[in-house]
Amino acid sequence: MTGQDHEVDAADGTVDEPDADGVEEALALVGRRTRQKSVPAPGTTRHRAAPWPDARGLAARLGRAAPPRTQRVPLDQALGRVLAEPLTALCDLPPFDTSAMDGWVVAGPGPWTVQGDGSILAGHADAPPLPDGAAVRIATGARIPPEATAVIRTEHSRTDTDKGQLYAEREVVPGQDIRPRGQECRSGDQLLPAASLVTPAVLGLAAAAGYDELLTVPRPRVEVLVLGDELLTAGLPHDGLIRDALGPMIGPWLRALGVEVIATRRLGDDAEALHEAVTTSDADLLLTTGGTAAGPVDHVHPVLRKAGAELLVDGVAVRPGHPMLLARLAPDPHRPDGSRDRYLVGLPGNPLAAVSGLLTLAEPLLRALAARPAPAPYRAPVRDEVHGHPYDTRLVPFVHRADQLVPLHYNGPAMLRGIAAADGLVVVPPGGARAGDELEVLDLPWAPSNAQDGCFT
């Protein structure tokens, strides 16, 4: 299995199986393909890790299989969520004929007799009908009086104050610069479908259409558990201690996916503290950093066994990030929502390996739980030859240059310098890629840095 021997669903990049939404089928597929990996060369270790595309597809399916949840929230709390129902106009837009410009509203052919010294302003009630041959000053957004035929922009008119007459300096077309009632939509029209992402523009549209609240999909709640006694939270590394790079990075990365990060806790290498966190947290997803291997202080596997968790993915055939894992936590009958599935994603402790775990397991699961649309998958040619792992997928930071992908240096498991300058990660199949090969792309959810061309290549 090379990572290319499968079809990719154009909607979300997951593995296309006969039952694309069947979690049990996906679980069986991961197990089957893990067992069926080709025999490694003599002297090498047999890999039992799940193929990278299968593991990523399973994470997305688990999120989609979760029972739907909805929550009605005020507009100022809806940003970044997904609509749980279509956005339907509650009124006509605009709700009445309005002036598109500051100027004069007129009735009939000109010249027109100016009516008084006042103006029709936005936000005022109905004005009386406008007599034929009359003109009144009007502000942008003000209600057009009955019997009016056009609005003349201030800069396209002149007045004779002695005669009290208004003259147009350009041809006047009936209806000009009037926004008719219902021009944008009529009450009951569908403005956006369900599953649309609530952006600032969507909030504006919803407000204009009469909404005070929106029915949305709640944000998945995530708790980040940073493991490792060797980590410092401030100052320079010293005496075998190093700075924690993942604690400051993981939370903001998750928030960019529309997730509510309820806490980032530093537990060190304390098995009891980890067990308590795993068994008492009410987060939809627990995300651990480090401790997923088999060393003397790698407590994630033993704690999951003790907590009765179901290990769904135990290692992924990807570099960096091989020892990542995905587990379904045991249900808690004492909680009101105890039947709701809760998950744990274990990220490796090396920074770039942790990013690989985020993109492989956490991001697809959380996007699906939030009902956020997955980015459309795409491929692009790579400019340079990229070395590959003999039988695992590689994820390599890259930048876009002239419609090509340029792989970046500083792409070791413990390095963040490459990913900090990157536009995304390129998916390199086992065996590597030659210059010009088209490879799958995983974009990052923010703009690239302003590093100068060639700085990291």
Side-chain angles (χ1 to χ4, degrees):
M1 183 70 184
T2 65
Q4 292 179 320
D5 302 331
H6 65 276
E7 295 297 321
V8 175
D9 187 310
D12 59 12
T14 59
V15 179
D16 184 12
E17 294 300 323
D19 180 5
D21 292 317
V23 171
E24 295 305 320
E25 290 85 347
L27 285 166
L29 174 68
V30 169
R32 184 170 72 249
R33 290 187 173 168
T34 299
R35 291 191 299 273
Q36 292 178 351
K37 285 189 70 66
S38 57
V39 178
T44 61
T45 302
R46 174 180 292 275
H47 281 243
R48 300 186 181 278
W52 178 78
D54 296 356
R56 197 161 185 258
L58 172 62
R61 283 183 175 87
L62 290 169
R64 291 199 301 267
R69 291 185 291 165
T70 61
Q71 185 180 27
R72 197 171 294 278
V73 295
L75 293 184
D76 62 1
Q77 297 177 24
L79 183 66
R81 296 191 178 204
V82 165
L83 294 177
E85 63 182 3
L87 187 72
T88 302
L90 303 180
C91 62
D92 296 343
L93 284 182
F96 40 79
D97 294 350
T98 62
S99 177
M101 294 289 169
D102 293 333
W104 299 87
V105 58
V106 299
W112 300 270
T113 301
V114 176
Q115 302 287 296
D117 297 326
S119 298
I120 302 174
L121 303 177
H124 288 243
D126 290 348
L130 193 63
D132 192 49
V136 178
R137 283 196 177 274
I138 194 166
T140 301
R143 193 164 189 160
I144 298 293
E147 309 303 330
T149 55
V151 169
I152 303 173
R153 304 182 188 193
T154 300
E155 61 269 26
H156 297 164
S157 65
R158 62 180 178 86
T159 54
D160 184 331
T161 53
D162 293 335
K163 297 181 178 179
Q165 294 285 301
L166 172 75
Y167 298 90
E169 297 187 331
R170 297 189 180 184
E171 179 184 6
V172 177
V173 178
Q176 74 178 29
D177 287 327
I178 293 176
R179 298 189 183 117
R181 176 176 181 168
Q183 182 185 48
E184 187 170 1
C185 67
R186 288 291 184 180
S187 179
D189 286 353
Q190 180 175 305
L191 305 177
L192 292 170
S196 296
L197 184 65
V198 180
T199 64
V202 170
L203 291 176
L205 176 63
Y211 285 85
D212 300 316
E213 299 177 324
L214 292 174
L215 188 68
T216 63
V217 178
R219 301 176 188 271
R221 304 174 76 248
V222 180
E223 188 169 4
V224 180
L225 306 177
V226 180
L227 311 182
D229 287 342
E230 74 279 14
L231 300 178
L232 295 168
T233 58
L236 294 174
H238 62 85
D239 301 324
L241 303 177
I242 60 173
R243 282 295 297 270
D244 169 29
L246 297 182
M249 179 179 74
I250 299 298
W253 194 306
L254 295 173
R255 292 186 185 96
L257 302 176
V259 167
E260 179 185 352
V261 179
I262 59 177
T264 296
R265 298 167 55 193
R266 290 171 172 82
L267 302 185
D269 290 317
D270 187 332
E272 291 303 316
L274 178 59
H275 182 268
E276 181 181 2
V278 167
T279 54
T280 61
S281 175
D282 64 351
D284 298 299
L285 174 68
L286 279 170
L287 197 149
T288 62
T289 67
T292 57
V297 292
D298 290 332
H299 300 306
V300 175
H301 281 90
V303 165
L304 289 176
R305 284 194 296 270
K306 182 179 178 181
E310 178 187 4
L311 203 55
L312 304 176
V313 175
D314 188 9
V316 177
V318 66
R319 304 298 171 130
H322 181 267
M324 68 180 74
L325 62 85
L326 170 62
R328 180 160 35 207
L329 300 178
D332 185 348
H334 302 295
R335 292 189 181 128
D337 59 351
S339 62
R340 170 173 57 88
D341 282 341
R342 298 181 304 118
Y343 297 95
L344 182 144
V345 168
L347 303 179
N350 279 325
L352 189 58
V355 169
S356 175
L358 271 175
L359 293 174
T360 301
L361 296 177
E363 183 170 331
L365 174 63
L366 290 170
R367 279 191 180 276
L369 286 174
R372 288 171 65 107
Y378 73 96
R379 304 172 77 88
V382 64
R383 190 189 72 179
D384 308 319
E385 179 182 1
V386 189
H387 295 295
H389 190 273
Y391 37 75
D392 288 355
T393 300
R394 279 192 72 206
L395 301 181
V396 178
F398 77 90
V399 290
H400 291 285
R401 292 289 183 270
D403 298 325
Q404 290 184 309
L405 310 176
V406 180
L408 299 178
H409 294 169
Y410 307 107
N411 54 29
M415 298 180 178
L416 285 174
R417 186 173 175 183
I419 193 67
D423 296 337
L425 290 109
V426 61
V427 181
V428 181
R434 294 169 299 187
D437 285 353
E438 290 201 346
L439 301 180
E440 183 179 352
V441 173
L442 303 177
D443 283 324
L444 300 179
W446 50 79
S449 72
N450 292 321
Q452 294 181 1
D453 289 359
C455 181
F456 294 100
T457 59

